[in-house]
């Protein structure tokens, strides 16, 4: 059952001469790999820390693709915060996350929250606001798939109309230009909004697997695209603070790409990579600082949702591209939102946009449907001998978009119903092309970077490279009691080049 507990500690604001001194404690005197003592003797020294809270993010239910054939599966995540004082445990409010039910029923409280937002719009713009506890929820559930588009993950949108904030002055703000952008900023700053936009299956820090985990199901990249992009911002903030300079306080939307952070204001976003989130032109126009898609990709809407003003969009190949690769989404759709029962949201496929009509794309790739567990569908091509030899991966050359990884398809779910899961899995998982991924090249929403087994022939050519799998193909992300696939039958099937058969 995938879940995260974060133990949060705080430092007294006047410790070590204030923020400058505290920031300086995070700078090791030697390289961290040499001087490991700097961490526990410096910023994490127990005497200088006080426990603040324990934060929980746990997957509590998953509906498989066989049940959610259009979505390609659904999952729900419980989010809570606890205070611990001796033997006393208490619930704490979720930061910047509104109690939607209570505010919807209390017009006066809702109006008071609107007044707070209006009075603190500059702080909301920078992302450094703290909504008072009286407005906040103590328990929420976030939803995937298509999490960034789901109404349940946009808690401010049903509370406020843009007209509620139309009288504010946006001219001096850095990020927000319109009332629509203000509400979207608030949605993204809520717990469920942040953890379903720029995340990996609702998490930002999954962690890596150790040797006790089956080599068929190890995670290659244990952090989300958001955390990857966020770390340089935090490092720049830390350096500026330690040097006594005014740091750049702007915290971007959680699905923004990495950026070059400058003291006291300037920011230059890198172009978003293939399959990474973007804002459609009409949505981007609401914000003062946005980014462009790079690498010849085009911002393309994958899904719209009723009751949500922004679209789920990703930087994808144009329709007429001859550079199609396995794993590229091939279907678009719309979500009919059920405000009080998100598990009853319904996704409908509305079109196919990937290039399957011209040139090599017409014969080389098929569009695999969500019912086999692949949200938004995937372009697919089986591995040939050249793919199995990783011939396209050369030192000093850009990483190809696809790699000969592992595939499963609908047989993966069928194995759950058998009395011999290991043997069933041995016949269900084979070689097939998938998107390539690495520590700085991430998978699209609803997919995560999985490792190739260490005995894969030729694996030395692709060190540090994994393949993008639908999130719930990976055992660690499922809660339906999979057995550990350690049987000899599985290892025999996966060894010796994994055989020639393809599952899809």
């Amino acid at each position: 059952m995938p879940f995260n507990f974060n133990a949060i500690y705080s430092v007294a604001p006047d410790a070590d001469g204030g923020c400058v001194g505290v920031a300086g404690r995070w700078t090791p005197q030697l390289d961290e790999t040499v001087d490991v003592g700097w961490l526990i003797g410096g910023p994490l020294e127990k005497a200088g820390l006080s426990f603040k809270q324990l934060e929980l993010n746990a997957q509590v239910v998953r509906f498989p693709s066989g049940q959610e054939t259009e979505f390609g599966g659904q999952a729900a995540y419980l989010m809570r915060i606890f205070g611990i004082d001796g033997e006393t445990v208490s619930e704490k409010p979720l930061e910047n996350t509104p109690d939607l039910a209570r505010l919807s029923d209390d017009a006066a409280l809702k109006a008071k929250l609107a007044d707070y937002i209006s009075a603190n719009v500059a702080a909301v713009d920078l992302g450094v606001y703290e909504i008072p506890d009286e407005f906040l929820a103590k328990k929420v559930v976030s939803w995937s798939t298509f999490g960034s588009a789901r109404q349940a993950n946009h808690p401010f949108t049903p509370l406020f109309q843009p007209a509620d904030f139309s009288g504010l002055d946006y001219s001096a703000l850095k990020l927000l230009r319109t009332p629509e952008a203000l509400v979207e900023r608030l949605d993204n700053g809520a717990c469920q909004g942040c953890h379903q936009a720029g995340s990996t299956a609702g998490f930002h820090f999954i962690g890596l697997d150790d040797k006790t985990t089956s080599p068929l199901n190890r995670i290659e990249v244990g952090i989300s695209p958001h955390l990857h992009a966020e770390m340089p911002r935090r490092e720049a903030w830390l350096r500026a603070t330690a040097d006594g300079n005014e740091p750049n306080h702007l915290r971007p939307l959680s699905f923004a790409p990495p950026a070059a952070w400058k003291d006291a204001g300037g920011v230059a976003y890198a172009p978003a990579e293939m399959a990474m989130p973007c804002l459609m032109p009409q949505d981007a126009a609401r914000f003062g600082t946005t980014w462009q898609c790079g690498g010849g990709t085009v911002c393309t809407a994958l899904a719209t949702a009723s009751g949500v003003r922004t679209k789920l969009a990703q930087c994808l190949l144009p329709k007429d591209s001859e550079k199609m690769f396995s794993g590229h989404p091939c279907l678009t759709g719309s979500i009919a939102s059920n405000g009080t029962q998100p598990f009853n949201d319904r996704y409908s496929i509305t079109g196919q946009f990937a290039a399957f009509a011209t040139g090599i794309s017409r014969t080389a790739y098929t569009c695999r449907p969500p019912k086999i567990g692949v949200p938004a569908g995937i372009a697919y091509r089986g591995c040939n001998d050249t793919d199995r030899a990783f011939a396209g991966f050369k030192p000093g050359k850009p990483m190809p978009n696809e790699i000969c990884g592992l595939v499963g398809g609908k047989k993966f779910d069928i194995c759950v119903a058998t009395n011999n899961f290991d043997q069933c899995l041995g016949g269900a998982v084979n070689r097939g092309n998938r998107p390539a991924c690495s520590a700085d090249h991430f998978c699209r929403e609803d997919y995560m970077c999985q490792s190739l087994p260490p005995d894969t022939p030729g694996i030395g050519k692709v060190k540090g490279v994994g393949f993008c799998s639908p999130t719930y193909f990976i055992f660690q992300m499922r809660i339906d009691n999979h057995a550990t696939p350690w049987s000899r039958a599985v290892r025999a099937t996966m060894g010796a080049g994994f055989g020639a058969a393809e599952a899809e």
Side-chain angles (χ1 to χ4, degrees), residues 10-177:
S10 61
V11 179
D14 58 349
D16 290 339
C19 289
V20 174
V22 172
R25 293 173 62 187
W26 284 95
T27 304
Q29 298 303 309
L30 297 173
D31 184 87
E32 294 95 316
T33 60
V34 177
D35 185 16
V36 295
W38 78 270
L39 188 62
I40 57 175
L44 298 186
E45 185 181 8
K46 290 183 178 180
L49 301 175
S50 59
F51 178 79
K52 180 182 179 183
Q53 61 196 32
L54 190 68
E55 302 175 346
L56 169 68
N57 182 10
Q59 184 196 125
V60 291
V61 67
R62 189 188 75 85
F63 305 113
S65 58
Q67 181 177 350
E68 295 282 359
T69 57
E70 300 296 284
F71 264 120
Q74 282 202 75
Y77 302 84
L78 174 65
M79 310 181 84
R80 304 182 72 178
I81 298 178
F82 301 99
I84 302 176
D85 184 7
E87 296 183 356
T88 301
V89 178
S90 60
E91 291 182 292
K92 298 186 71 173
L94 296 164
E95 295 172 12
N96 296 332
T97 302
D99 187 329
L100 182 57
R102 185 160 54 88
L103 287 161
S104 298
D105 291 339
D106 190 332
L109 189 64
K110 174 182 168 182
K112 188 176 179 181
L113 175 57
D115 290 341
Y116 167 84
I117 294 169
S118 297
N120 292 275
V121 66
V124 175
D125 176 59
L126 293 176
V128 296
Y129 60 103
E130 291 186 55
I131 294 177
D133 290 355
E134 63 179 310
F135 305 111
L136 303 182
K138 292 184 177 179
K139 176 173 65 176
V140 296
V141 176
S142 71
W143 290 86
S144 68
T145 55
F146 300 112
S148 61
R150 302 288 287 273
Q151 186 188 60
N153 301 326
H154 289 253
F156 285 90
T157 290
L159 280 176
F160 298 112
Q161 296 298 315
D164 295 329
F165 305 110
S166 60
L168 301 179
D169 181 7
Y170 297 89
S171 62
L173 302 182
K174 293 184 177 181
L175 180 65
L176 309 178
R177 289 291 179 268

Side-chain angles (χ1 to χ4, degrees), residues 392-414:
F393 292 82
K394 300 181 185 299
K397 299 291 185 180
M399 186 174 73
N401 286 324
E402 66 182 12
I403 186 172
C404 187
L406 308 184
V407 297
K410 63 182 180 181
K411 291 182 181 179
F412 194 93
D413 277 329
I414 294 173

Side-chain angles (χ1 to χ4, degrees), residues 133-496:
D133 290 355
E134 63 179 310
F135 305 111
L136 303 182
K138 292 184 177 179
K139 176 173 65 176
V140 296
V141 176
S142 71
W143 290 86
S144 68
T145 55
F146 300 112
S148 61
R150 302 288 287 273
Q151 186 188 60
N153 301 326
H154 289 253
F156 285 90
T157 290
L159 280 176
F160 298 112
Q161 296 298 315
D164 295 329
F165 305 110
S166 60
L168 301 179
D169 181 7
Y170 297 89
S171 62
L173 302 182
K174 293 184 177 181
L175 180 65
L176 309 178
R177 289 291 179 268
T178 67
E180 291 84 358
L182 173 57
V183 178
E184 176 65 22
R185 170 63 139 179
L186 292 165
D187 279 339
N188 186 250
C191 288
Q192 61 268 57
C194 179
H195 279 271
Q196 289 292 346
S199 71
T200 299
F203 298 97
H204 290 304
F205 187 83
I206 301 169
L208 296 176
D209 298 314
D210 59 23
K211 293 182 179 180
T212 64
T213 304
S214 165
L216 299 181
N217 279 271
R218 290 180 186 161
I219 296 169
E220 179 68 31
V221 178
I223 65 172
S224 70
H226 167 59
L227 182 53
H228 172 71
E230 171 72 355
M231 292 307 293
R233 186 195 72 83
R234 295 189 182 195
E235 290 171 1
W237 196 98
L238 191 70
R239 286 193 302 268
T241 303
D243 292 341
N245 298 326
E246 182 68 16
N248 188 336
H249 292 286
L250 177 62
R251 300 182 69 178
L253 297 169
S254 67
F255 51 87
W261 293 93
K262 304 174 183 178
D263 292 357
V267 57
Y269 288 108
E273 293 188 347
M274 180 80 71
M276 289 295 98
C278 56
L279 291 168
M280 295 295 288
Q282 61 269 36
D283 296 328
R286 302 169 182 167
F287 294 90
T289 51
T290 54
W291 57 92
Q292 302 296 319
C293 290
T297 61
V298 177
C299 192
T300 306
L302 269 183
T304 59
S306 61
V308 178
R309 301 185 186 98
T310 54
K311 300 179 179 66
L312 165 59
Q314 293 176 356
C315 295
L316 302 174
L317 294 173
K319 290 183 178 181
D320 58 352
S321 175
E322 292 293 320
K323 299 179 180 179
M324 184 53 55
F325 62 92
S326 289
H328 192 286
C330 56
L331 300 170
T332 58
S334 62
I335 300 170
S337 304
N338 187 312
T340 58
Q341 297 179 324
F343 53 87
N344 280 327
D345 286 1
R346 288 295 172 258
Y347 176 80
S348 300
I349 297 171
T350 58
Q352 179 173 299
F353 66 84
F356 297 105
T358 60
I360 189 173
S361 298
R362 180 173 53 203
T363 57
Y365 293 90
T366 59
C367 180
R368 307 300 291 153
K371 66 182 180 181
I372 67 169
V374 289
I378 58 169
Y380 177 74
R381 175 178 71 83
C383 296
N384 56 34
D385 289 343
T386 300
D387 299 321
R388 290 189 184 91
F390 305 123
F393 292 82
K394 300 181 185 299
K397 299 291 185 180
M399 186 174 73
N401 286 324
E402 66 182 12
I403 186 172
C404 187
L406 308 184
V407 297
K410 63 182 180 181
K411 291 182 181 179
F412 194 93
D413 277 329
I414 294 173
C415 289
V416 180
T418 70
N419 291 324
N420 191 335
F421 183 83
D422 288 352
Q423 184 175 355
C424 177
L425 184 68
V429 179
N430 292 284
R431 296 296 291 275
N433 279 303
R434 284 289 187 259
C437 52
S438 66
D440 56 5
H441 187 89
F442 288 82
C443 302
R444 62 180 166 109
E445 185 168 318
D446 299 318
Y447 293 74
M448 65 192 303
C449 193
Q450 185 173 348
S451 295
L452 285 160
D455 59 352
T456 304
I459 195 171
K461 295 181 180 180
V462 290
K463 184 178 181 180
V465 179
F467 61 97
C468 296
S469 286
T471 303
Y472 305 107
F473 275 31
I474 298 178
F475 297 147
Q476 297 90 311
M477 299 303 298
R478 300 171 68 105
I479 59 171
D480 40 16
N481 297 317
H482 279 299
T484 301
W486 273 110
S487 74
R488 292 181 180 179
V490 174
R491 299 305 297 147
T493 301
M494 303 313 294

